[in-house]
């Protein structure tokens, strides 16, 4: 059984952190999202995954050296500087996937515990061309929404409807079972939206089905989603054990401290703090509801609340960073600077004065 993972998007909504890494390599509680996905596939008996990527993403995935859990990884590349969208990469991988049996497509940017065996079973029973895993959410307006018959045939598929106009709260969970027949529905060599072009055509022909999935589902499309998804995973997966670092720091669970993390005296870490590999925290620091990527340095007397701090960033002494702040890789925040809520800072920028309103610092 083949599985194609879509991983070549530009993740524009996750800037500035996605300026330097693809979404599929964003750490989820200190482990890249792709690693979680490969583990899940391997557990379910998959032996090979095809990654639909762009040139840059392929290089970064290879450099990341994440464990492959015995899976063979094959790359299917979008043409240089010509992104193919969410449908084009499926057509592009036609030869790699073959025409022998149904296959799975996963959006690489979601964390979804979908029962792969079950969705394939339903897909074959219904003799569908495509079966979409559907997940229930509070606010469907940011997603593709499906309306279903009792037999689970999708009668309408509406991409990002206004909240009042959404016919149901069942949304496209980004996991599809597809028949090789799907290749006839996707034009070649151009950008194609699966959601806006291919699915509506299948609805018209009565060949699109839904599979209601009740498992854990998290999208990391925007930085708020990303933070929330990490907090939910912390609650679920991390042993809430008290970890000694120096002895005089205070750890408020749940927290996740990766290898090589150091924390100074009288600092309070957590609740909901995720510190990446070799993050170094000074004394009298407070960090809560935040993610620190690997190699981050937080100097004495700083406070970080509800923020995401990119790899190798340096935070000076007495700095205050508020909710919704997102700092790119290699950012430097000098001593005593305060960042208001919602400030984002592009990679490698230096900030020497406080920023009092929500904005993006690009120079
Ligand atoms: P935004 O720019 O923030 O919307 O992000 P995105 O384009 O990466 O995400 P979107 O939700 O549109 O994409 C869903 C999935 O398809 C993600 O796993 C993307 O990596 C993938 N994807 C999107 N566009 C392309 C593309 O042009 N080529 C390939 N190979 N994958 C894509």
């Amino acid at each position: 059984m083949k599985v194609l993972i879509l991983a070549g998007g530009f993740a524009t909504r996750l800037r500035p952190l996605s300026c330097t890494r693809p979404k599929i390599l964003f750490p989820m509680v200190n482990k890249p999202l792709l690693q979680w996905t490969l583990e899940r596939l391997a557990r379910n008996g998959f032996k090979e995954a095809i990654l639909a990527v762009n040139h840059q993403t392929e290089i970064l995935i290879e450099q990341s050296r994440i464990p492959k859990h015995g899976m063979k990884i094959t790359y299917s590349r979008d043409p240089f500087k010509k992104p193919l969208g969410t449908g084009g990469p499926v057509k592009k991988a036609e030869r790699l996937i073959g025409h022998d049996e149904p296959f799975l497509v996963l959006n690489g940017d979601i964390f979804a515990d979908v029962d792969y065996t079950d969705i394939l079973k339903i897909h074959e029973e219904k003799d569908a061309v495509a079966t979409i895993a559907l997940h229930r959410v509070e606010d469907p307006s940011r997603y593709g929404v499906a309306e279903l018959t009792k037999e689970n045939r999708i009668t309408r598929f509406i991409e990002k409807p206004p909240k009042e106009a959404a016919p149901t709260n069942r949304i496209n969970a980004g996991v599809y079972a597809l028949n090789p027949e799907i290749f006839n529905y996707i034009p070649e060599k151009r950008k194609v939206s699966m959601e806006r072009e291919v699915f509506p055509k299948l609805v018209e022909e009565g060949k699109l089905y839904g599979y209601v999935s009740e498992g854990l589902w998290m999208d990391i499309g925007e930085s708020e989603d990303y933070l929330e998804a990490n907090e939910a995973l912390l609650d679920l997966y991390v042993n809430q054990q008290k970890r000694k670092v120096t002895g005089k720091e205070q750890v408020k669970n749940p927290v996740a401290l990766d290898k090589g993390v150091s924390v100074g005296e009288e600092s309070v870490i957590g609740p909901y703090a995720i510190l990446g590999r070799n993050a170094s925290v000074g004394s009298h620091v407070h960090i809560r509801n935040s993610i620190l990527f690997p190699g981050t340095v937080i100097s004495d007397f700083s406070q970080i609340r509800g923020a995401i701090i990119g790899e190798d960033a340096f935070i000076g002494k007495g700095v205050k960073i508020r909710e919704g702040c997102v700092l790119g890789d290699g950012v430097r925040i000098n001593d005593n600077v305060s960042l208001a809520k919602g400030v984002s800072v592009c990679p490698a920028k230096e900030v020497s004065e406080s920023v009092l309103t929500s904005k993006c610092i690009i120079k």
Side-chain angles (χ1 to χ4, degrees):
M1 171 73 56
K2 296 275 170 59
V3 54
L4 178 76
I5 305 177
L6 296 173
F10 289 104
T12 50
R13 292 167 298 154
L14 272 176
R15 286 177 188 157
L17 291 162
S18 57
C19 298
T20 39
R21 69 179 60 69
K23 230 187 300 194
I24 202 154
L25 291 179
F26 270 55
M28 300 291 292
V29 187
N30 293 326
K31 186 158 85 179
L33 179 57
L34 176 60
Q35 194 178 332
W36 287 94
T37 307
L38 293 178
E39 276 176 19
R40 186 178 305 116
L41 288 167
R43 259 200 323 271
N44 281 275
F46 287 84
K47 304 261 182 290
E48 182 186 352
I50 304 166
L51 298 188
V53 290
N54 57 52
H55 187 64
Q56 187 68 12
T57 304
E58 178 180 349
I59 295 172
L60 293 168
I61 291 174
E62 280 301 298
Q63 281 175 353
S64 73
R65 294 172 186 274
I66 59 170
K68 309 268 184 342
H69 300 278
M71 305 260 305
K72 180 180 169 215
I73 303 293
T74 310
Y75 293 98
S76 173
R77 300 167 195 95
D78 286 10
F80 188 56
K81 290 196 176 167
K82 285 215 175 122
L84 293 175
T86 48
V90 177
K91 181 72 181 169
K92 177 88 194 342
E94 182 171 356
R95 236 179 300 151
L96 289 173
I97 295 167
H99 291 89
D100 304 338
E101 55 180 359
F103 58 97
L104 281 183
V105 172
L106 312 181
N107 277 5
D109 60 344
I110 46 132
F111 188 106
D113 261 335
V114 172
D115 185 329
Y116 301 135
T117 319
D118 223 25
I119 186 173
L120 282 160
K121 199 172 127 229
I122 300 287
H123 176 72
E124 296 193 274
E125 268 171 28
K126 301 287 180 191
D127 199 22
V129 171
T131 304
I132 310 180
L134 301 172
H135 176 78
R136 280 198 201 92
V137 290
E138 284 275 300
D139 176 10
S141 63
R142 292 169 48 202
Y143 304 99
V145 182
E147 195 176 65
L148 292 168
T149 63
K150 272 197 208 111
E151 293 73 40
N152 280 11
R153 187 167 53 78
I154 297 182
T155 47
R156 269 206 296 169
F157 186 79
I158 312 156
E159 191 60 16
K160 302 189 175 73
K163 199 172 178 182
E164 330 65 74
T168 71
N169 61 353
R170 291 200 174 120
I171 57 122
N172 172 5
V175 174
Y176 322 125
L178 303 175
N179 260 16
E181 232 183 303
I182 194 76
F183 297 124
N184 303 330
Y185 289 82
I186 311 174
E188 231 178 338
K189 294 185 181 158
R190 71 160 170 91
K191 192 170 187 173
V192 179
S193 164
M194 204 70 166
E195 301 83 351
R196 293 179 196 275
E197 287 182 62
V198 181
F199 291 158
K201 227 186 284 171
L202 292 172
V203 168
E204 271 175 33
E205 297 182 14
K207 293 176 176 164
L208 186 66
Y209 280 79
Y211 164 80
V212 180
S213 168
E214 306 290 350
L216 181 67
W217 184 88
M218 296 180 295
D219 163 44
I220 64 159
E222 297 179 18
S223 47
E224 266 175 34
D225 303 324
Y226 173 62
L227 201 52
E228 270 176 29
N230 271 276
E231 294 192 353
L233 265 190
L234 254 189
D235 271 334
L236 278 172
Y237 285 101
V238 174
N239 284 338
Q240 304 208 356
Q241 58 183 351
K242 195 162 169 131
R243 242 188 88 133
K244 269 197 157 348
V245 186
T246 64
K248 285 192 182 162
E249 85 295 343
Q250 205 190 331
V251 172
K252 293 187 177 176
N253 286 315
V255 297
L257 311 179
D258 206 351
K259 285 187 191 133
V261 165
S262 60
V263 178
E265 289 188 2
E266 309 295 336
S267 286
V268 182
I269 308 296
Y272 297 101
I274 300 173
L275 276 54
R277 189 178 272 244
N278 296 330
S280 163
V281 176
S283 59
H284 301 271
V285 169
H286 285 230
I287 301 174
R288 59 179 301 175
N289 300 91
S290 295
I291 303 173
L292 273 50
F293 279 41
T296 314
V297 175
I298 313 288
S299 308
D300 302 345
F301 297 100
S302 286
Q303 293 178 21
I304 321 278
R305 230 195 269 162
I308 311 170
I309 314 247
E311 199 159 331
D312 294 328
F314 178 88
I315 310 297
K317 288 185 185 159
V319 167
K320 288 195 175 74
I321 299 181
R322 298 282 177 236
E323 287 84 358
C325 287
V326 184
L327 277 50
D329 289 354
V331 160
R332 185 181 175 94
I333 309 290
N334 288 331
D335 292 353
N336 302 316
V337 163
S338 290
L339 300 183
K341 286 183 182 175
V343 171
S344 55
V345 185
C346 282
K349 298 296 165 205
E350 180 170 353
V351 181
S352 303
E353 285 175 17
S354 291
V355 182
L356 304 175
T357 54
S358 156
K359 62 174 166 181
C360 178
I361 311 288
I362 49 176
K363 42 180 174 176

